[in-house]
Amino acid sequence: MRHILGLSIALLSTTVMAETRTVYAQDGDDNRIAIAIVDIAEDRTYTIDMIDTVFADHFLSMRPFKCLEGPSKHWCHVPYPYDIQRNIADDLTDLEYDLMFVWKGSTEYGINMWNGVYYQLSDEDGTLTGQLMEMDMDLLSAPPSEGELRPLRAQDLHESDPDSHWLPRLIIE
């Protein structure tokens, strides 16, 4: 009986629990802006809700955008327009796709889709940390091929100088 009870306790300790986490955009001085809430189910599927009150509405290049307004750059959220599974059981890619942005100068009128921001997520002791990568958002202008859920490839993402951007990190805790 003791062996069975020990096995049950071991299984309970490895069970993944449902959780709610907050997504923060972090600047170079470690100031954070809470930008989204992620609800993660036990099966590791998730829902994400952007916190609308921190975003300003902008109409750029003939489309509406929700933007974080910084002193010299604005970070405009680009909702991924195609189907994804919203599951992080095997990797964090779906969540990365949900947290894409494009930046623009705060005094610029339009938006240039080649100024894409992709946060490559990693798990650091239970906290998800996103490193800013640059990308050309025009890569997503056409739907992916049938059956292809993740069209971005490693060569589409480019390391960025964190000091050259307003919000170089994401923190999800």
Side-chain angles (χ1 to χ4, degrees):
M1 180 69 169
R2 182 177 292 178
H3 178 63
I4 294 172
L5 181 58
L7 179 62
S8 296
I9 291 171
L11 287 174
L12 284 175
S13 67
T14 60
T15 301
V16 177
M17 303 295 287
E19 60 187 303
T20 298
R21 293 187 177 208
T22 302
V23 179
Y24 298 94
Q26 183 173 299
D27 70 13
D29 294 326
D30 296 334
N31 297 309
R32 293 180 177 184
I33 303 167
I35 62 168
I37 302 296
V38 180
D39 288 310
I40 305 169
E42 290 179 20
D43 65 357
R44 310 317 283 164
T45 57
Y46 69 87
T47 58
I48 186 167
D49 291 305
M50 303 308 279
I51 300 173
D52 288 334
T53 56
V54 298
F55 290 88
D57 291 323
H58 286 261
F59 194 73
L60 306 166
S61 301
M62 304 301 290
R63 306 190 294 191
F65 282 91
K66 299 263 186 202
C67 302
L68 300 168
E69 295 179 326
S72 62
K73 290 183 181 179
H74 292 177
W75 241 236
C76 301
H77 183 240
V78 180
Y80 185 66
Y82 311 113
D83 290 334
I84 54 175
Q85 296 176 351
R86 293 202 167 77
N87 189 315
I88 56 172
D90 296 324
D91 62 40
L92 301 169
T93 306
D94 288 349
L95 190 53
E96 293 170 347
Y97 276 43
D98 273 326
L99 294 168
M100 291 190 291
F101 292 82
V102 64
W103 68 265
K104 71 173 222 69
S106 60
T107 60
E108 294 174 1
Y109 177 73
I111 203 160
N112 295 316
M113 293 307 282
W114 60 78
N115 291 332
V117 174
Y118 184 99
Y119 290 100
Q120 199 162 44
L121 296 172
S122 61
D123 189 338
E124 297 177 9
D125 298 323
T127 297
L128 302 180
T129 303
Q131 174 188 346
L132 186 144
M133 305 293 278
E134 295 176 348
M135 66 170 285
D136 180 354
M137 284 286 180
D138 283 328
L139 294 169
L140 302 176
S141 61
S145 302
E146 188 174 329
E148 181 182 33
L149 293 177
R150 299 171 171 176
L152 297 177
R153 302 162 301 164
Q155 62 260 35
D156 298 328
L157 305 176
H158 308 282
E159 282 193 49
S160 174
D161 174 13
D163 294 333
S164 69
H165 288 289
W166 173 43
L167 299 169
R169 292 184 64 192
L170 279 187
I171 307 292
I172 303 173
E173 51 186 20

